[in-house]
Amino acid sequence: MEDSKVLYQEKTELLKALSHPLRLQIVRGLLVGGCRNVRCMEEGTGQSQSTISQHLMRLKAAGVVKCQRSGNEMYYEVADPGAAAVVAALFGDEAGDYNCPCAGLQSEEG
């Protein structure tokens, strides 16, 4: 029973991380467009660098995204296949719609 409580808590944290419209837009943009830097996200969302960075920090803390440095730039990608599955369910997307390695983990056919 304790294991199920932990599982429900983990899923709740994922939903909280995705529960802001801009964070949802960032995650879907990363899934569709692949790995991106903040400048690309600014152009795609119309939001400021500082606003996007704050939301990325929240997503990173929840394990939804991960980042990698390339020179002076940080590039972000979705790290959590569960987040990809939630976004796909919300928007009716298919795994093939995404340009993200983690999205393929959810597309096993049985």
Side-chain angles (χ1 to χ4, degrees):
M1 186 66 168
E2 189 63 34
D3 288 342
S4 66
K5 287 182 180 181
V6 171
L7 178 63
Y8 282 109
Q9 185 62 38
E10 289 172 359
K11 299 303 180 184
T12 299
E13 292 304 317
L14 171 61
L15 292 173
K16 285 180 185 178
L18 295 173
S19 69
H20 188 279
L22 181 56
R23 288 194 295 266
L24 192 57
Q25 184 179 8
I26 288 170
V27 172
R28 188 165 187 237
L30 290 171
L31 288 167
V32 171
C35 187
R36 296 184 170 211
N37 62 17
V38 174
R39 188 172 317 142
C40 291
M41 292 180 223
E42 283 180 84
E43 293 170 5
T45 64
Q47 298 295 316
S48 70
Q49 178 270 330
S50 62
T51 299
I52 292 169
S53 291
Q54 287 176 348
H55 287 285
L56 284 169
M57 283 186 354
R58 174 70 173 93
L59 291 167
K60 189 176 172 190
V64 174
V65 300
K66 63 182 178 181
C67 63
Q68 182 174 357
R69 181 176 294 281
S70 178
N72 291 333
E73 299 278 346
M74 296 297 284
Y75 287 86
Y76 294 86
E77 65 182 337
V78 176
D80 184 347
V86 169
V87 172
L90 286 171
F91 291 96
D93 297 335
E94 309 254 338
D97 296 334
Y98 294 154
N99 185 20
C100 176
C102 80
L105 296 175
Q106 294 293 316
S107 63
E108 295 178 11
E109 295 182 15

